Amino acid sequence: MDSGGSSPFCPHCGAPQIFLLDHDLPAELTATDTTGTAPPPAPRQVEWKTAIRCALLVAAVSAVLTLIAARFESVSPLSWLWTVSGSLITLALYQKRRPKAWMDAGIGARIGVVVGFVLVGSLAVAMAAGGLVARYLLHNMAGFDAQLTQQLHMQIQHALATNPETKSLQGYLYSPEFRAGMMLAGFGLISGILLVLSTVGGAVGGLLRTRHKVSL
């Protein structure tokens, strides 16, 4: 019997032998993270957990400023400026927390879309909560109701003057349902504008912060 190393049996006892291939382990399996920090996101990808946290922080500040502006008119410009610049502020916070993350116009626009939706949701909650508190706890919505009724009355009278056929709808135009629909339509229009501004602002902010390579 051949006693060479190619025989499947032991040359001394005749027992079958098991041959194991000596493969090198991949480098990514042998590498260990000794810093204790999370690795940077892969190129051209967004670390959404961090981005959403930054967006929620910006939206929370925007909601608080909106509630304060409802009581103090002097805060309205600051609230408006913060809300419109929400995507730019979010990008700044995102890159501060993830300085090695890839950034370009496309990623900025994607983050801007998320910021826009979060801002719309936070503003809706803030306005609804503020309205409930003002109407049922503070009882100071009479002025707002009177102003809204006056504006609605002027618009209805103008519509009746230009189109007499709308007189048959006059009862519906003065109904609470129509008023609620007008308010929802107005909020929807503002939300759409805010979403567009947030997306464009994110794209511009991402373009200004473009990195052509990820720092190692």
Side-chain angles (χ1 to χ4, degrees):
M1 181 175 62
D2 184 11
S3 60
S6 60
S7 175
F9 300 95
C10 177
H12 302 289
C13 64
Q17 304 298 299
I18 299 177
F19 294 90
L20 298 177
L21 298 178
D22 186 17
H23 291 291
D24 293 331
L25 292 176
E28 60 268 20
L29 296 180
T30 58
T32 56
D33 185 4
T34 58
T35 62
T37 60
R44 300 184 183 276
Q45 292 184 0
V46 182
E47 209 290 295
W48 285 113
K49 186 176 182 180
T50 302
I52 292 175
R53 285 180 177 177
C54 295
L56 289 174
L57 177 60
V58 173
V61 175
S62 177
V64 172
L65 290 176
T66 300
L67 292 176
I68 296 176
R71 299 283 296 175
F72 304 98
E73 291 292 336
S74 59
V75 186
S76 295
L78 177 61
S79 175
W80 179 85
L81 181 62
W82 179 275
T83 302
V84 173
S85 306
S87 57
L88 298 176
I89 300 173
T90 301
L91 289 180
L93 294 175
Y94 174 74
Q95 280 206 315
K96 183 178 180 180
R97 296 186 179 185
R98 303 305 300 270
K100 297 182 180 180
W102 181 281
M103 181 58 63
D104 56 23
I107 290 180
R110 291 163 62 189
I111 295 178
V113 171
V114 175
V115 174
F117 280 111
V118 175
L119 282 173
V120 169
S122 66
L123 291 178
V125 172
M127 293 174 64
L132 289 175
V133 172
R135 183 174 297 277
Y136 296 106
L137 293 181
L138 302 179
H139 304 287
N140 58 0
M141 291 289 289
F144 173 79
D145 291 339
Q147 183 180 4
L148 179 62
T149 301
Q150 182 180 4
Q151 293 178 354
L152 185 61
H153 178 73
M154 293 176 58
Q155 294 177 1
I156 293 175
Q157 291 300 319
H158 178 72
L160 293 175
T162 55
N163 188 7
E165 295 180 358
T166 58
K167 289 184 178 181
S168 59
L169 301 176
Q170 186 172 359
Y172 172 73
L173 295 178
Y174 282 105
S175 65
E177 292 80 6
F178 180 77
R179 179 183 301 182
M182 289 290 293
M183 294 180 65
L184 289 176
F187 181 77
L189 178 61
I190 295 175
S191 299
I193 295 174
L194 179 59
L195 186 60
V196 172
L197 290 177
S198 181
T199 304
V200 174
V204 173
L207 182 63
L208 296 177
R209 296 172 177 271
T210 297
R211 292 185 176 181
H212 299 286
K213 63 180 180 179
V214 179
S215 302
L216 298 178

